[in-house]
Amino acid sequence: GQQLNQSPQSMFIQEGEDVSMNCTSSSIFNTWLWYKQDPGEGPVLLIALYKAGELTSNGRLTAQFGITRKDSFLNISASIPSDVGIYFCAGHISSNTGKLIFGQGTTLQVKP
Amino acid sequence: GAGVSQSPRYKVAKRGQDVALRCDPISGHVSLFWYQQALGQGPEFLTYFQNEAQLDKSGLPSDRFFAERPEGSVSTLKIQRTQQEDSAVYLCASSTDGNQPQHFGDGTRLSIL
């Protein structure tokens, strides 16, 4: 089935550093979404992207919808301890179904 | 409530028992989704409702899994004759429309002994 390849699988960084993670696929996506999940909780929506080339920011977070529609990246600037968690990319392949395809997640740890 | 509410938060059942998981979506959200999340993995799609109509059930792993949303609001995911491989977190999400961003509940963690 369709798959999203998300990288890196995990990151361990110093507080204050910038972070970048990305997702790629062999399939074309109509939307890209980035979620953050904390232990014992459901994924929380961070950013939604709807058009190829779109660049959207939410505070210290910036995400882009790749021109080819097969990739997306998420950047976090000036990381803080509460950024710790698992980040998932997700997207819709078809406009006819609400089914979201998820990446495998990037685990972020921040050292104070 | 303001968000998607799921109950119970934790469920332990013996292999072979039937279980029912409940999802209360955000008020007014037409679309409702169920996902299964195995430990260390991303959520995987199970099924999708638009109001009371089940438009996509392609992700249900077997005929032991059944979902319903009879009045277009609350949904129940039922698993019959549970097996150990059914152990996972079951997430429910809702959205204003099928392709709008989905908002997730905190899930039900199901453990089959």
Side-chain angles (χ1 to χ4, degrees):
Chain A
Q2 302 94 357
Q3 282 199 337
L4 284 178
N5 298 311
Q6 187 170 349
S7 65
Q9 187 174 359
S10 63
M11 304 180 73
F12 190 86
I13 63 169
Q14 196 77 30
E15 181 178 0
E17 288 184 352
D18 297 343
V19 171
S20 183
M21 60 191 78
N22 69 84
C23 274
T24 61
S25 175
S26 57
S27 301
I28 291 175
F29 279 71
N30 290 328
T31 61
W32 284 96
L33 305 168
W34 284 91
Y35 288 88
K36 179 176 182 278
Q37 187 174 30
D38 292 329
E41 299 182 10
V44 174
L45 181 67
L46 299 174
I47 293 180
L49 302 160
Y50 299 99
K51 296 179 181 179
E54 180 181 355
L55 183 71
T56 297
S57 293
N58 178 10
R60 294 178 297 105
L61 278 60
T62 301
Q64 185 159 30
F65 194 139
I67 293 291
T68 65
R69 296 171 61 192
K70 293 182 178 181
D71 64 315
S72 177
F73 72 74
L74 174 71
N75 288 341
I76 306 173
S77 62
S79 58
I80 59 177
S82 62
D83 290 335
V84 165
I86 304 176
Y87 292 79
F88 289 101
C89 61
H92 293 109
I93 284 182
S94 167
S95 59
N96 295 325
T97 174
K99 173 182 177 180
L100 273 178
I101 309 290
F102 277 81
Q104 306 97 316
T106 294
T107 300
L108 178 64
Q109 298 182 64
V110 179
K111 183 178 180 181
Chain B
V4 177
S5 178
Q6 292 187 247
S7 61
R9 286 299 314 277
Y10 304 91
K11 177 69 178 177
V12 179
K14 293 183 179 179
R15 186 166 56 91
Q17 288 183 331
D18 298 347
V19 297
L21 313 181
R22 176 188 167 105
C23 173
D24 206 332
I26 294 172
S27 177
H29 277 195
V30 170
S31 299
L32 185 145
F33 307 83
W34 285 97
Y35 292 83
Q36 181 188 60
Q37 186 174 26
L39 189 64
Q41 301 295 316
E44 291 197 1
F45 172 82
L46 294 176
T47 188
Y48 160 47
F49 289 87
Q50 183 91 341
N51 296 305
E52 68 278 5
Q54 190 173 19
L55 298 186
D56 187 348
K57 55 181 180 179
S58 62
L60 295 177
S62 76
D63 58 7
R64 297 186 296 104
F65 287 70
F66 173 76
E68 60 183 4
R69 193 186 186 199
E71 298 179 358
S73 179
V74 171
S75 176
T76 303
L77 176 67
K78 298 179 180 178
I79 309 174
Q80 298 176 324
R81 304 182 302 282
T82 53
Q83 300 178 6
Q84 284 194 320
E85 60 262 31
D86 299 336
S87 296
V89 175
Y90 290 85
L91 293 165
C92 177
S94 70
S95 67
T96 56
D97 181 81
N99 283 303
Q100 292 303 307
Q102 296 173 25
H103 299 272
F104 284 80
D106 285 336
T108 293
R109 181 174 296 276
L110 177 64
S111 298
I112 304 300
L113 305 179

